[in-house]
């Protein structure tokens, strides 16, 4: 996780630098397209600051995790590719839930785009149902794993 937290730390710092540069650039530019001269264009500046804060949240999670776990082979300078061989995890070979989740996300997005509260509510309920179905796919019915 050390590689990941360093990468996000760099991106976070650059976002804040870009926010400061953008705010300064728009305040000194006397182009009427930017508004009044001498005033900061706040939408872009705040957007860059929030991008830095969101990247900072991801950095913080990776930093905390990297301090709690042992070094992975990817984080060690002497790590070999063979050190990470083996089983990665279980991936569902024939699940239709990701398609259902994508369609319900589109339904929710259409509700937001056209500002239809009833469609937004229906989409959120459908997304929650699809997430639950995908999460518990192998815990119900005849496909239940484990001792029977």
């Amino acid at each position: 996780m050390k590689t990941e937290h360093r990468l996000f730390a760099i991106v976070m710092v650059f976002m804040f630098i870009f926010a400061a540069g953008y705010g300064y650039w728009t305040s000194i530019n006397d182009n009427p397209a930017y508004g009044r001269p001498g005033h900061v264009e706040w939408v872009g500046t705040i957007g860059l600051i929030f991008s830095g804060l969101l990247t900072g949240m991801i950095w913080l999670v990776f930093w905390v995790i990297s301090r709690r776990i042992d070094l992975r082979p990817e984080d060690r300078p002497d790590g070999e590719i063979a050190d990470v061989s083996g089983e990665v995890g279980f991936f569902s070979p024939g699940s239709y839930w990701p398609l259902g989740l994508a369609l319900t996300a589109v339904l929710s997005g259409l509700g937001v785009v056209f500002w239809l509260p009833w469609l937004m509510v229906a989409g959120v309920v459908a997304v929650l149902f699809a997430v639950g179905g995908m999460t518990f796919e192998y815990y119900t019915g005849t496909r239940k794993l484990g001792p029977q």
Side-chain angles (χ1 to χ4, degrees), residues 56-127:
M57 289 190 324
I58 298 169
W59 164 77
L60 183 63
V61 168
F62 283 150
W63 180 72
V64 168
I65 291 172
S66 73
R67 294 178 53 94
R68 290 185 180 180
I69 65 173
D70 294 330
L71 284 178
R72 301 176 304 164
E74 300 93 279
D75 297 329
R76 293 191 327 243
D78 63 338
E80 296 288 331
I81 294 175
D83 293 341
V84 293
S85 64
E87 184 175 332
V88 176
F90 175 75
F91 301 98
S92 180
S95 176
Y96 289 106
W97 284 109
L99 177 64
L101 184 61
L103 293 175
T104 58
V106 167
L107 185 71
S108 298
L110 287 174
V112 171
V113 166
F114 294 113
W115 200 251
L116 301 170
W118 62 271
L119 191 58
M120 286 188 278
V121 171
V124 167
V125 169
V127 164

Side-chain angles (χ1 to χ4, degrees), residues 40-52:
V40 176
E41 195 276 314
W42 288 108
V43 175
T45 306
I46 297 296
L48 287 168
I49 290 171
F50 281 166
S51 296

